Amino acid sequence: MLHLRLITPAGQTEEVVRLIERTVGTTHLVVLPGTARDPVGDLVLCDVAREAGDELIAALRRLGLEDTGSIAVEDIGLSLSRRAEEAEREAPGEGADAVLWEGLIEATHEESTLSVTYLAFITLATMIAACGVVLDNAILIVGAMAVGPEFGPLAGISAALVRRRPRLAWRSVLALLVGFAVAMALTSAFSLLMDATGLFSKDQLEGARPNTGFIYAPDWFSFVVAVLAGIAGILSLTSAKSGALVGVAISVTTVPAAANAAVALAYGDTSQTSGSSVQLLLNLLGIVLAGTVTLLTQKYFWERRRQRP
């Protein structure tokens, strides 16, 4: 279930309370008049089944409560209440299938922010992957994929397309373009430094690489895996099963492909640079396409489920 903490102007409290009482799947309603100080108003608390949460939050936003007061939402890890169980039974659908759209938009908005931390993570991940491709070390490649933060902006693009949020789409695209550009440029410089110290060599890059050679040899399997990973990633976000994101991260070769392209570019190997770039683009396209279709499908089936008596 979800816990809502609302600050409402005194003149709007009754309207908010009536809205909560009319919403199927709500319980544990508490009203504390005059307790809020910033902004001044009443404090309204309630619990709502996850499958009814999106409808209630959207209705509260239509009342303008985010401008006149406050809407705070948090997941309830444990709720021991018979009334809560009844509220979940009354709400339409299953909580695991429900999409909390405002929560998804907020999460992808945060993950898509072009910040120093984001640039640091994607750069470090690309450098780790560069060590992996030169040394033909699969463990380093997996580690780099787990560190890479690129799924956030990719999910942000999908969510922005479905919810028609152009600002979120632009923010996500900017984070991807600038992030990979900076990471690849710094990784190319890192490769030249490693070459100068004798730790990297062109022979290692162009030699037999049975563990990592697939990175610069894209095929349809690369696209298929990206599509499957995109579906799994979006489902993990919308169902709050964030643990699955680790598996998604190590399923696609976005960061390793960027790393291989950067190292090959530093050595002037145009063949591997172009192959790795195609691999990167295939993965990005597959994830965005799959994520968008998955969200559209969830939206369609959930709206049909809610319309049933």
Side-chain angles (χ1 to χ4, degrees):
M1 296 194 72
L2 303 173
H3 178 68
L4 271 63
R5 185 182 73 250
L6 313 174
I7 296 178
T8 67
Q12 200 175 15
T13 300
E14 284 303 316
E15 185 178 14
V16 170
V17 169
R18 286 197 299 270
L19 172 62
I20 294 173
E21 290 176 336
R22 290 197 306 266
T23 302
V24 176
T26 59
T27 186
H28 303 156
L29 176 61
V30 177
V31 181
L32 302 174
T35 54
R37 292 292 179 266
D38 184 18
V40 175
D42 302 331
L43 181 63
V44 179
L45 308 173
C46 74
D47 295 341
V48 59
R50 182 180 177 84
E51 50 268 42
D54 188 66
E55 179 183 0
L56 178 57
I57 294 170
L60 291 170
R61 295 192 66 185
R62 285 194 294 271
L63 293 178
L65 193 59
E66 61 182 311
D67 298 319
T68 59
S70 170
I71 304 173
V73 184
E74 57 187 10
D75 283 300
I76 300 177
L78 176 64
S79 179
L80 302 178
S81 166
R82 179 173 298 178
R83 182 65 191 97
E85 294 176 359
E86 293 174 354
E88 289 185 320
R89 285 196 298 268
E90 293 168 357
E94 295 293 334
D97 297 332
V99 179
L100 194 64
W101 289 104
E102 293 303 326
L104 175 63
I105 294 296
E106 182 65 23
T108 52
H109 183 276
E110 293 179 1
E111 295 294 327
S112 302
T113 301
L114 185 61
S115 61
V116 174
T117 302
Y118 171 83
L119 290 175
F121 269 112
I122 196 168
T123 300
L124 291 171
T126 307
M127 289 181 176
I128 294 172
C131 296
V133 298
V134 172
L135 300 176
D136 194 36
N137 189 315
I139 295 177
L140 291 177
I141 294 296
V142 171
M145 289 190 287
V147 172
E150 74 280 4
F151 188 80
L154 292 170
I157 294 174
S158 296
L161 291 175
V162 174
R163 301 298 289 178
R164 300 178 182 178
R165 301 285 184 94
R167 296 181 67 178
L168 176 59
W170 167 244
R171 175 190 290 265
S172 301
V173 170
L174 182 66
L176 278 177
L177 293 179
V178 175
F180 275 114
V182 170
M184 292 173 70
L186 292 177
T187 300
S188 291
F190 171 75
S191 301
L192 294 175
L193 176 62
M194 296 290 280
D195 180 79
T197 59
L199 296 175
F200 279 10
S201 71
K202 188 175 183 179
D203 290 339
Q204 288 176 297
L205 179 71
E206 297 181 345
R209 287 165 49 193
N211 294 321
T212 58
F214 67 93
I215 292 173
Y216 58 88
D219 53 27
W220 280 109
F221 281 108
S222 302
F223 184 75
V224 170
V225 171
V227 168
L228 296 176
I231 296 172
I234 290 297
L235 288 176
S236 70
L237 285 177
T238 56
S239 64
K241 295 185 182 297
S242 58
L245 282 177
V246 177
V248 172
I250 61 177
S251 299
V252 291
T253 54
T254 47
V255 166
N260 201 96
V263 177
L265 184 63
Y267 282 122
D269 188 330
T270 56
S271 176
Q272 287 201 35
T273 300
S274 60
S276 301
S277 299
V278 171
Q279 178 80 277
L280 175 61
L281 293 175
L282 277 176
N283 278 272
L284 296 178
L285 177 62
I287 293 174
V288 171
L289 178 62
T292 303
V293 172
T294 300
L295 287 175
L296 287 172
T297 303
Q298 287 180 289
K299 181 180 179 182
Y300 171 75
F301 282 108
W302 183 250
E303 287 180 349
R304 286 195 61 184
R305 180 65 184 83
R306 286 172 54 184
Q307 291 170 2
R308 296 177 185 175

